[in-house]
């Protein structure tokens, strides 16, 4: 029975495992999926999570709940040696171990791609994970709480100024959703006015959202401008040190939140540690049938899909001849790859991946959206409904769909949940602050020169009172004659220190004995 190893549990990896369970016969293959996280994140929902419109847990899919027969391992694959068909699995705790496979499926996804701009690595946050979206939401709410208590001034302006870098779909969606979120918060914060909030989007190109037509992109810019958000086109971020944003146009401002959406790259944790072929941009080289290799050279037993792979776009609509890294392609590639793997196991031929983009839809906050399909463009509320309808149905499993849709309906009647859980970053802080601790043991006071050893246990934990000094007893002096009488005389006087030291030592010894 062949062993199938799936590296990565994102869109492509999760859907591959999900569909393999459906199409494989019992005992036909053994499937193992390895991912550092125990869930798949539906990334199109991240902007709405950041804006408080979707509960964070509803935007992720638990792998173990929905994968019934797949062996799920929560760990990292740190090396793939396809020549020997082994992979190194590194768990969070314990030693790495080798996993032998017959078929490897690389779907490790992508990570945020940044540039060496001063301050970005220290100040900015990406938008690729559910944790980042939750952080953004909590930061906005916390900043409103702080700003409401401050007088007008630079510190207040900094807290109420928000910046997004990147004008693609992800950048525009998070930018517009945050603007909508902030506007909805104003009725809860009478101390803050609409004019107090500032939103800046920075885009290096001369336009935004290249997936839609130029007139549609202009409508988005005008719509956001009317809602109090500013877009800087043909502008580059030159510095973000300590939250002070400096732009190539000379404009500068201070902010407490910078969201980076200016590009992605193939997960380097995988592509840099494998002997599989990699193309010049650092992506796995994949054929149109999703097998690793070129049209003339196939790497047997190796497959790839999703953002980590350079999959040819046979529809002609890709960038540089390859499919763009988005959820729409990753989901469909995962489904087809599962079918192709089953076909190859059964001695049949795989099919090529061909998908013509039917359109692009984006949510721009509650009640705002755009939809573009060819020359047809829909804007406003209808496009917003189309956006929610499409992604609500695209969410894997009916269990997840219902949770998301019920949350939307609840928000329509009850409003967004505006509770910040920023304190979850330090969950033990309240407990530690008031937790009782044992008192340190009191020191045992012993007179200098004493050789008495403290008793174990009780004496070490009990304070010993110093002995009361008493006048030395007067004893009759012995009759001594000659030189010896002169040497003994000083010791017999009351001021002699030797008698007092001996008495103190006797008292400590008596106390120690009493405690034994």
């Amino acid at each position: 029975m062949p062993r199938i190893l799936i590296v990565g549990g994102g869109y492509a990896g999760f859907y591959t495992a999900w569909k393999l369970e459906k199409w494989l016969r019992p005992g036909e293959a053994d499937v193992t999926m390895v991912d550092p996280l125990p869930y798949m994140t539906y990334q199109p929902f991240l902007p709405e999570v950041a804006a408080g419109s979707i509960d964070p847990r509803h935007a992720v899919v638990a792998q173990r709940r929905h994968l019934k027969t797949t062996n799920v391992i929560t760990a990292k694959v740190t090396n793939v040696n396809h020549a020997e068909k082994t992979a190194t699995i590194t768990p969070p705790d314990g030693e790495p171990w080798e996993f032998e496979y017959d078929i490897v499926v690389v779907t490790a996804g992508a990570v945020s791609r940044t540039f060496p701009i001063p301050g970005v690595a220290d100040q900015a946050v990406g938008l690729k994970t559910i944790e980042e979206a939750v952080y953004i939401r909590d930061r906005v709410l916390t900043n409103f709480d702080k700003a409401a208590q401050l007088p007008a001034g630079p510190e207040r302006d900094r807290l109420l100024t928000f910046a997004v870098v990147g004008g693609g779909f992800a950048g525009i969606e998070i930018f517009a959703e945050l603007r909508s979120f902030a506007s909805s918060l104003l009725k809860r914060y009478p101390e803050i006015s609409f004019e107090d909030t500032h939103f800046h989007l920075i885009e290096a190109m001369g336009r935004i959202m290249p997936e839609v037509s130029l007139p549609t992109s202009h409508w988005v810019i005008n719509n956001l401008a009317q809602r109090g958000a500013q877009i800087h086109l043909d502008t580059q971020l030159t510095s973000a040190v300590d939250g002070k944003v400096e732009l190539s146009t000379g404009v500068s401002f201070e902010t407490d939140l910078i969201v980076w959406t200016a590009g992605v790259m193939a997960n380097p944790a995988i592509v840099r540690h494998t002997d599989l072929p990699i193309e010049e941009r650092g992506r796995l080289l994949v054929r149109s049938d999703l097998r690793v290799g070129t049209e003339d050279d196939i790497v047997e037993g190796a497959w790839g899909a999703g953002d980590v792979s350079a999959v040819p776009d046979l529809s002609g609509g890709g960038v540089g001849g390859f499919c763009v890294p988005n959820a729409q392609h990753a989901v469909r590639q995962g489904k087809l790859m599962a079918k192709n793997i089953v076909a190859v196991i059964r001695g049949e031929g795989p099919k090529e991946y061909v998908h013509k983009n039917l359109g692009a839809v984006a949510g721009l906050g509650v009640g705002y959206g755009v939809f573009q399909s060819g020359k047809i463009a829909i804007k406003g509320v209808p496009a917003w409904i189309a956006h929610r309808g499409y992604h609500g149905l695209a969410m894997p499993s009916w269990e997840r769909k219902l949770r998301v849709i019920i949350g939307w309906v609840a928000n329509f009647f009850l409003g967004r949940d505006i509770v910040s859980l920023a304190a979850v970053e330090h969950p033990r802080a309240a407990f530690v602050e008031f937790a009782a601790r044992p008192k340190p043991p009191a020191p045992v006071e012993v007179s200098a020169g004493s050789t008495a050893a403290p008793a174990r246990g009780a004496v070490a934990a009990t304070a010993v009172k110093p002995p009361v000094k008493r006048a030395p007893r007067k004893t009759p002096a012995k009759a001594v004659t000659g030189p010896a009488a002169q040497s003994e005389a000083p010791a017999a006087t009351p001021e002699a220190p030797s008698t007092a030291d001996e008495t103190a030592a006797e008292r400590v010894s008596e106390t120690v004995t009493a405690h034994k």
Side-chain angles (χ1 to χ4, degrees):
M1 183 169 60
R3 303 181 72 188
I4 302 173
L5 172 65
I6 302 175
V7 181
Y11 296 122
F14 178 83
Y15 271 92
T16 300
W18 205 22
K19 296 307 178 182
L20 281 174
E21 289 189 351
K22 178 180 179 180
W23 293 318
L24 283 171
R25 302 188 187 106
E28 193 170 13
D30 179 72
V31 182
T32 299
M33 186 175 73
V34 183
D35 191 89
L37 299 173
Y39 51 80
M40 184 274 282
T41 303
Y42 191 74
Q43 294 183 2
F45 281 158
L46 293 183
E48 290 199 61
V49 171
S53 295
I54 294 179
D55 186 275
R57 283 187 173 84
H58 297 169
V60 298
V61 180
Q63 295 166 352
R64 296 179 185 273
R65 175 167 185 167
H66 296 283
L67 298 178
K68 307 298 184 182
T69 60
T70 301
N71 180 27
V72 177
I73 299 176
T74 305
K76 293 181 179 180
V77 174
T78 52
N79 185 67
V80 175
N81 184 349
H82 193 64
E84 299 183 4
K85 291 193 174 181
T86 60
T88 303
I89 297 178
T90 304
D93 298 306
E95 297 296 324
W97 49 283
E98 298 298 316
F99 182 92
E100 296 182 357
Y101 62 82
D102 299 294
I103 299 171
V104 65
V105 178
V106 181
T107 56
V111 298
S112 296
R113 180 189 58 158
T114 59
F115 306 104
I117 301 172
V120 167
D122 301 319
Q123 301 293 327
V125 60
L127 192 66
K128 293 291 293 179
T129 68
I130 193 70
E131 293 81 7
E132 290 172 328
V134 172
Y135 170 84
I136 293 169
R137 182 200 64 184
D138 289 346
R139 175 56 66 92
V140 172
L141 290 169
T142 301
N143 283 10
F144 265 72
D145 288 334
K146 292 179 179 178
Q149 311 303 319
L150 293 175
E155 183 57 31
R156 194 171 191 262
D157 289 341
R158 176 189 175 96
L159 292 171
L160 297 177
T161 300
F162 308 96
V164 175
V165 183
F169 250 64
I172 290 296
E173 284 191 305
I174 182 63
F175 185 62
E177 287 285 356
L178 289 181
R179 174 66 271 184
S180 175
F181 187 31
S183 298
S184 71
L185 291 175
L186 294 175
K187 59 185 177 183
R188 310 292 183 186
Y189 294 85
E191 307 89 347
I192 301 174
S193 67
F194 181 86
E195 291 73 19
D196 292 332
T197 59
H198 311 282
F199 285 81
H200 299 268
L201 184 134
I202 304 155
E203 170 53 47
M205 296 177 60
R207 62 163 298 178
I208 61 170
M209 304 175 73
E211 297 88 348
V212 304
S213 66
L214 194 59
T216 301
S217 70
H218 288 165
W219 181 89
V220 173
I221 293 174
N222 293 332
N223 175 267
L224 288 170
Q226 293 171 5
R227 294 159 58 188
Q230 185 177 359
I231 296 179
H232 305 265
L233 296 178
D234 293 315
T235 304
Q236 295 180 347
L237 175 67
T238 58
S239 178
V241 175
D242 296 330
K244 183 178 180 180
V245 173
E246 297 181 5
L247 307 181
S248 58
T249 57
V251 175
S252 65
F253 55 86
E254 292 195 11
T255 177
D256 199 49
L257 178 62
I258 302 171
V259 182
W260 181 275
T261 64
V264 297
M265 64 179 181
N267 190 339
I270 295 299
V271 296
R272 294 177 184 175
H273 300 92
T274 180
D275 57 351
L276 295 171
I278 306 298
E279 49 100 59
E280 60 273 10
R281 293 187 60 185
R283 297 174 296 180
L284 193 67
L285 194 60
V286 174
R287 294 159 42 91
S288 56
D289 60 8
L290 304 178
R291 287 184 288 184
V292 175
T294 64
E295 294 303 321
D296 301 323
D297 186 17
I298 301 173
V299 179
E300 295 294 339
W303 301 76
D307 296 354
V308 76
S309 303
V311 180
D313 191 343
L314 300 183
S315 70
V319 177
F322 297 100
C323 296
V324 295
N326 61 24
Q328 190 174 146
H329 282 302
V331 169
R332 287 172 171 80
Q333 289 169 8
K335 293 179 180 180
L336 177 65
M337 186 161 56
K339 285 185 176 181
N340 283 350
I341 291 172
V342 173
V344 171
I345 290 175
R346 296 174 183 173
E348 303 171 3
K351 296 181 179 179
E352 293 184 327
Y353 175 73
V354 182
H355 172 66
K356 184 173 178 58
N357 194 345
L358 299 178
V361 61
L364 305 176
V366 176
Y368 299 97
V370 291
F371 170 78
Q372 182 84 46
S373 180
K375 295 182 179 180
I376 300 175
I378 303 175
K379 312 175 186 72
V381 176
W384 173 70
I385 295 174
H387 169 265
R388 285 201 161 179
Y390 171 79
H391 286 296
L393 294 176
M395 185 72 177
S397 83
W398 280 104
E399 177 256 339
R400 292 286 104 176
K401 296 183 203 298
L402 289 175
R403 290 184 187 274
V404 170
I405 294 172
I406 290 172
W408 281 335
V409 174
N411 284 351
F412 180 80
F413 291 102
L414 305 176
R416 312 185 206 210
D417 193 335
I418 61 169
V419 175
S420 170
L421 297 178
V424 76
E425 297 178 24
H426 307 284
R428 295 186 63 250
F431 178 82
V432 170
E433 181 179 0
F434 299 104
R437 292 176 173 82
K439 294 181 179 180
V444 178
E445 297 186 11
V446 181
S447 300
S450 172
T451 58
R456 247 177 133 177
V459 175
T462 306
V464 179
K465 294 182 180 181
V468 179
K469 292 185 178 181
R470 297 177 181 178
R473 297 176 183 177
K474 295 183 180 180
T475 56
K478 296 181 181 180
V480 180
T481 58
Q486 297 178 1
S487 61
E488 290 289 341
T493 62
E495 293 78 15
S498 58
T499 305
D501 289 344
E502 291 173 2
T503 304
E506 291 173 359
R507 298 299 181 191
V508 172
S509 178
E510 292 172 2
T511 305
V512 170
T513 303
H515 281 82
K516 284 187 178 179

